[in-house]
């Protein structure tokens, strides 16, 4: 099964065809895609990017992170800070400071907010900070040979600690309300359908490029070294590879992609708050990958779509049962379909059952 | 880790000796797995190490490959590589290859990919990402496939190989690493008589080009390959010499062969 061709097509369709269906097809038509759909699909694409990042580190390299919510939130908060600064004096208090600072009776901008009125600066922070945090964290963790469940627990603790920190008002990121009420990005109103469409297209394009990059990596010798680390790390070391470097590379890249996903998510969803760093959120990211299929990039993307699609439906139709369903889904998939939906597809459609498709 | 303690990339064997273990002592919670072990391996030699369970054979391998650090003693590879100061991958780069007791190959990779990963080449992240195999490297792998008799299985997932084939694949992986010293832990465990013979031939043909240390329980196998045998007992050297001499050694008969 050429899973990658399917995903390739799907991504091409979402980047090009969906916007065309919105712009060129008349509103009366059944094929018209309404404006409000784009931020929603855009949100899913951000989740798909997270799943991709998660799959590289967990599915391919066998390192389970339960703290990817942190990297996602860092990208999100950085973007949120820029969007807050872009509000200017149009906030409720007509002040130059963000509303929550006025509310806390702060007189001036904390130093770590400096620079976020500049988009280029913000972009650099988004591209560098999550990766830098991951690199530092990973350097010490991998050097101390922390792995498996211990690594998962430490990352979970990291996201929990940062969530508590961000919940505090005097940390300076809006406390439990987080950052919201954004008005515009780069001068364009966020309410404007064409802005929403542009954000959507950028997201789809970034996801597409990341998929191509991820595919290039997993098909290179580097990818084979990563799966070898997953399967028999000591053999890789005795074969002369410094596995710490390999793990650091893919771990940092994963966090980098996750940060970008967060930054794209915030302007489309309109809010970022500490609940994104809830331990449960990071666990859910792992479930996307498990459901879709660990160790196949297409599986991760499909998994993110399926689980979030189910979530959107459940939280409207039967909100009380969502978590039960999620838990049950996770158990069923882990027990009966260890390779997730991708595994089911490969089994059905291919004679060559043993090779993992990327 | 910098290369400060590696004075020269090449292994200095001007004194004819490739591995020096002196007074090696390793204890786990008070139990001495190795107790003042001395062992010297000559260049190009094929040496068999025997000894009852718990004699310290695997721990000795762990010390040589950097997996376990000795509490006391020195371990040198050639005269210029202090093994106690090097990491696993540095030791591998210096030229020591190891086959584990339980065959350890990459089960989800094909036979060919297993050899590709082991192949002597630059092994940093950047090279792995950007470089693919050269024609010359492919030839080395093909030759190796011939040597270990897995040419027809080259595109098969290693997980589907028989036990004996996995053992050979692992030996093949050591060979493409182009090591100077091969450490081989129980190569014929679980092999049929025919496979054992084939392995003996393989190892004998490799001696000379490489120095080989084999840990094994199977006496017939050892008789068929070794000229020098070292017997370990309770973490130290009990006897060393020709197989016939060692077999007739009273101490050895008591602790091992007689039982």
């Amino acid at each position: 099964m050429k899973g990658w061709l399917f995903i390739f097509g799907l991504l091409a369709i979402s980047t090009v065809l969906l916007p065309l269906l919105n712009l060129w097809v008349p509103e009366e038509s059944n094929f018209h895609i309404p404006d409000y759909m784009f931020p929603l699909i855009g949100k899913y694409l951000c989740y798909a990017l997270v799943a991709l990042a998660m799959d590289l580190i967990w599915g391919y390299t066998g390192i389970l992170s339960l703290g990817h919510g942190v990297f996602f939130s860092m990208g999100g908060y950085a973007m949120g800070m820029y969007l807050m600064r872009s509000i200017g004096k149009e906030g409720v208090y007509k002040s130059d400071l963000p509303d929550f600072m006025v509310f806390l009776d702060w007189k001036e901008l904390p130093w770590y907010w400096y620079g976020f009125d500049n988009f280029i600066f913000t972009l650099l922070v988004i591209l560098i900070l999550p990766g830098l945090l991951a690199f530092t964290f990973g350097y010490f963790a991998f050097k101390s040979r922390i792995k498996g469940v211990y690594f998962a627990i430490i990352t979970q603790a990291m996201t929990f600690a940062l969530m508590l920190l961000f919940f505090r008002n005097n940390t300076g990121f809006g406390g439990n309300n987080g950052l919201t009420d954004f008005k515009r990005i780069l001068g364009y109103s966020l309410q404007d359908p064409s802005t929403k469409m542009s954000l959507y297209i950028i997201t789809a394009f970034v996801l597409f490029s990341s998929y191509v990059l991820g595919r290039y990596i997993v098909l290179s010798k580097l990818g084979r070294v990563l799966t070898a680390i997953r399967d028999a790390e000591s053999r890789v070391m005795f074969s002369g590879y410094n596995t710490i470097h390999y793990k650091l590379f893919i771990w940092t890249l994963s966090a980098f992609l996750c940060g970008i996903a967060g930054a794209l998510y915030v302007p489309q969803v309109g809010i970022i708050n500490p609940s994104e760093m809830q331990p449960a959120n990071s666990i859910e990211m792992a479930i996307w990958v498990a459901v879709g299929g660990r160790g196949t990039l297409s599986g991760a993307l499909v998994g993110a779509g399926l689980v979030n699609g189910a979530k959107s439906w459940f939280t409207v139709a039967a909100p009380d049962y969502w978590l039960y369903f999620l838990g049950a889904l996770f158990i069923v998939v882990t027990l009966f379909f260890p390779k997730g939906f991708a595994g089911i597809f490969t089994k059905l459609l291919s004679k060559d059952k043993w090779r993992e498709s990327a | 880790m910098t290369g400060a303690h590696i004075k020269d990339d090449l292994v200095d064997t001007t004194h004819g000796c490739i591995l020096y273990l002196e007074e090696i002592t390793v204890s786990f919670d008070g139990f001495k797995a190795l107790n003042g072990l001395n062992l010297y391996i000559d260049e190009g030699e094929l040496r068999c190490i025997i000894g009852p369970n718990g004699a310290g054979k695997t721990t000795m391998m762990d010390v040589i490959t950097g997996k376990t650090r000795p509490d006391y003693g020195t371990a040198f590879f050639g005269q210029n590589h202090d093994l106690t100061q090097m990491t696993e991958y540095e030791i591998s780069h210096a030229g020591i290859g190891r086959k584990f007791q339980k065959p350890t190959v990459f089960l989800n990779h094909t036979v060919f990919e297993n050899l590709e990963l082991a192949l002597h080449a630059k092994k940093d992240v950047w090279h792995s990402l950007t470089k693919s195999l050269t024609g010359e490297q492919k030839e080395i792998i093909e030759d190796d496939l011939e040597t270990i008799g897995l040419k027809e299985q080259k595109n098969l997932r290693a997980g589907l190989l028989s036990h004996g084939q996995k053992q050979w694949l692992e030996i093949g992986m050591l060979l493409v690493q182009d090591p100077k010293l091969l450490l081989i832990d129980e190569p014929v465990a679980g092999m049929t008589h025919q496979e054992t013979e084939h392995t003996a031939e393989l190892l004998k043909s490799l001696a000379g080009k490489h120095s080989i240390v084999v840990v094994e329980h199977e006496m017939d196998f050892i008789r068929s390959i070794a000229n020098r045998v070292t017997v370990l007992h309770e973490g130290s050297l009990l006897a060393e010499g020709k197989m016939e001499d060692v077999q007739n050694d009273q101490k050895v008969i008591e602790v091992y062969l007689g039982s």
Side-chain angles (χ1 to χ4, degrees):
Chain A
M1 169 62 179
K2 296 272 184 260
W4 68 275
L5 267 180
F6 171 71
I7 289 293
F8 219 70
L10 209 61
L11 290 174
I13 288 171
S14 26
T15 318
V16 179
L17 192 65
L18 294 187
L20 290 183
L21 285 179
N22 171 267
L23 294 175
W24 288 356
V25 176
E27 277 181 41
E28 314 80 67
S29 164
N30 283 332
F31 293 102
H32 177 80
I33 307 236
D35 292 340
Y36 69 83
M37 281 300 284
F38 284 94
L40 187 66
I41 309 174
K43 186 172 90 171
Y44 285 2
L45 296 186
C46 292
Y47 289 150
L49 183 53
V50 172
L52 184 89
M54 195 72 192
D55 197 23
L56 285 174
I57 188 72
W58 185 33
Y60 282 90
T61 321
I63 299 170
L64 174 58
S65 162
L66 293 179
H68 261 44
V70 164
F71 308 123
F72 183 80
S73 302
M74 284 182 97
Y77 266 97
M79 179 57 93
M81 287 160 84
Y82 166 75
L83 296 173
M84 285 308 268
R85 297 299 290 147
S86 303
I87 295 172
K89 288 188 198 287
E90 288 168 48
V92 180
Y93 297 109
K94 308 293 171 211
S95 161
D96 196 31
L97 291 181
D99 278 349
F100 76 88
M101 292 187 191
V102 181
F103 185 75
L104 291 173
D105 205 22
W106 290 11
K107 297 296 175 225
E108 55 186 301
L109 205 63
W111 60 268
Y112 45 81
W113 276 74
Y114 292 168
F116 281 98
D117 38 5
N118 182 320
F119 186 73
I120 302 293
F121 176 83
T122 308
L123 203 61
L124 286 176
V125 171
I126 291 166
L127 296 180
I128 294 171
L129 205 59
L132 189 68
L133 174 74
F135 184 86
T136 319
F137 180 88
Y139 178 81
F140 290 108
F142 298 142
K143 216 174 152 60
S144 321
R145 305 207 173 176
I146 295 170
K147 49 182 104 170
V149 68
Y150 301 100
F151 188 84
I153 290 170
I154 292 177
T155 51
Q156 179 93 108
M158 172 179 73
T159 191
F160 189 67
L162 280 171
M163 179 190 74
L164 294 181
L165 182 71
F166 274 63
F167 262 131
R168 291 161 53 94
N169 275 331
N170 48 10
T171 309
F173 298 103
N176 58 348
N177 295 318
L179 310 175
T180 187
D181 288 332
F182 309 130
K183 301 275 189 277
R184 66 181 78 82
I185 182 165
L186 287 168
Y188 300 101
S189 164
L190 283 167
Q191 300 309 316
D192 196 339
S194 65
T195 314
K196 288 181 184 171
M197 173 76 79
S198 310
L199 283 169
Y200 166 81
I201 293 176
I202 293 169
T203 309
F205 180 75
V206 168
L207 178 62
F208 183 77
S209 323
S210 306
Y211 178 73
V212 172
L213 174 74
R215 205 178 136 70
Y216 176 74
I217 289 174
V218 301
L219 289 181
S220 72
K221 183 181 162 200
L222 174 66
R224 292 190 282 283
V225 175
L226 295 177
T227 40
I229 289 175
R230 176 192 67 192
D231 296 340
E233 186 173 354
S234 58
R235 173 39 85 208
V236 183
M237 281 196 281
F238 288 121
S239 299
Y241 293 90
N242 185 348
T243 54
I244 297 176
H245 288 178
Y246 282 82
K247 291 197 275 188
L248 260 184
F249 170 80
I250 202 70
W251 166 248
T252 306
L253 178 73
S254 179
F256 168 80
L257 293 176
C258 222
I260 295 175
L264 290 166
Y265 171 87
V266 168
Q268 301 189 77
V269 174
I271 182 167
I272 174 82
N273 64 33
S275 67
E276 296 295 341
M277 284 183 268
Q278 274 172 5
N281 270 38
S282 294
I283 294 173
E284 214 173 287
M285 293 171 181
I287 296 180
W288 302 340
V289 177
V291 168
R294 267 176 287 165
T296 58
L297 292 179
S298 35
L301 301 192
V302 171
L306 282 177
V307 178
N308 284 298
K311 187 180 188 175
S312 293
W313 183 80
F314 256 97
T315 41
V316 174
D320 293 344
Y321 294 104
W322 163 243
L323 280 178
Y324 294 105
F325 174 77
L326 184 70
L329 182 71
F330 187 50
I331 292 169
V332 168
V333 165
T334 316
L335 283 182
F336 301 109
F337 309 106
K339 289 190 164 184
F341 276 88
I344 299 175
F345 271 108
T346 356
K347 248 197 183 130
L348 286 177
L349 295 169
S350 165
K351 285 174 197 151
D352 183 17
K353 289 174 189 165
W354 298 106
R355 298 287 302 153
E356 292 166 319
S357 70
Chain B
M1 281 273 166
T2 60
H5 45 273
I6 309 169
K7 291 170 201 102
D8 183 3
D9 199 33
L10 295 167
V11 182
D12 178 4
T13 53
T14 45
H15 292 194
C17 200
I18 194 158
L19 184 72
Y20 303 77
L21 298 183
E22 284 171 354
E23 298 295 321
I24 295 283
T25 302
V26 175
S27 43
F28 299 116
D29 297 328
F31 167 72
K32 285 195 172 162
L34 290 178
N35 192 0
L37 174 70
N38 291 304
L39 182 76
Y40 304 93
I41 305 291
D42 288 339
E43 203 182 1
E45 182 182 358
L46 170 57
R47 174 80 62 94
C48 278
I49 311 252
I50 59 175
N53 282 329
K57 298 173 305 244
T58 301
T59 309
M60 181 197 76
M61 296 267 198
D62 287 346
V63 168
I64 299 172
T65 50
K67 196 176 173 198
T68 300
R69 298 289 183 213
D71 302 326
Y72 184 76
T74 53
F76 268 83
F77 181 46
Q79 289 163 46
N80 50 349
H81 290 70
D82 183 354
L83 296 172
T84 60
Q85 300 298 318
M86 295 163 74
T87 63
E88 286 99 324
Y89 72 91
E90 284 171 337
I91 290 173
S92 160
H93 266 291
I96 297 184
R98 174 179 188 178
K99 198 197 94 52
F100 291 91
Q101 194 167 342
K102 185 170 158 275
T104 312
V105 296
F106 305 125
L107 300 177
N108 287 307
H109 294 69
T110 64
V111 169
F112 188 89
E113 287 169 346
N114 266 276
L115 296 173
E116 179 206 10
L117 289 175
L119 186 71
H120 182 74
K122 284 208 169 154
K123 287 178 172 170
D124 56 282
V125 174
W126 183 246
H127 272 83
S128 299
L129 183 62
T130 53
K131 295 279 188 298
S132 44
L133 287 174
T134 64
E136 199 184 338
Q137 288 175 321
K138 277 185 194 146
E139 249 169 61
I140 296 174
I141 294 179
E142 293 294 338
D143 288 349
D144 189 63
L145 282 166
E146 193 93 55
T147 313
I148 57 173
L150 292 177
K151 217 169 173 65
E152 276 165 31
Q153 288 82 7
K154 81 172 191 184
N155 291 321
L156 205 63
R157 213 173 61 105
L160 298 176
L161 295 177
S162 74
H163 182 79
Q165 289 172 323
K166 280 181 200 156
Q167 300 273 36
W168 289 333
L169 175 58
E170 199 177 2
I171 294 174
M173 288 167 74
L174 295 193
L175 293 179
V176 288
Q177 252 175 272
D178 195 22
K180 297 188 181 60
L181 174 65
L182 285 157
L183 304 176
I184 302 184
D185 207 345
E186 301 200 17
V188 297
M191 277 191 181
T192 63
H193 185 66
Q194 218 176 358
E195 289 173 327
T196 305
E197 267 177 26
H198 180 99
T199 309
E201 288 305 314
L202 181 60
L203 291 181
K204 273 194 278 187
S205 73
L206 295 173
K209 271 183 286 178
H210 311 267
S211 310
I212 307 178
V213 175
V214 181
V215 167
E216 190 46 78
H217 283 297
E218 169 61 43
M219 281 303 156
D220 288 334
F221 175 73
I222 293 171
R223 253 177 236 116
S224 70
I225 62 166
N227 28 34
R228 275 174 78 82
V229 176
T230 297
V231 187
L232 295 190
H233 180 53
E234 291 178 348
S236 33
L237 191 129
L238 186 71
E240 194 168 271
K242 285 206 160 61
M243 186 65 184
E244 306 87 81
D245 301 339
V246 166
Q247 262 178 308
N248 296 324
D249 189 306
Q250 204 53 45
K251 286 182 294 181
V252 176
I253 293 170
E254 270 170 34
V255 304
Y256 189 53
L257 295 170
S259 63

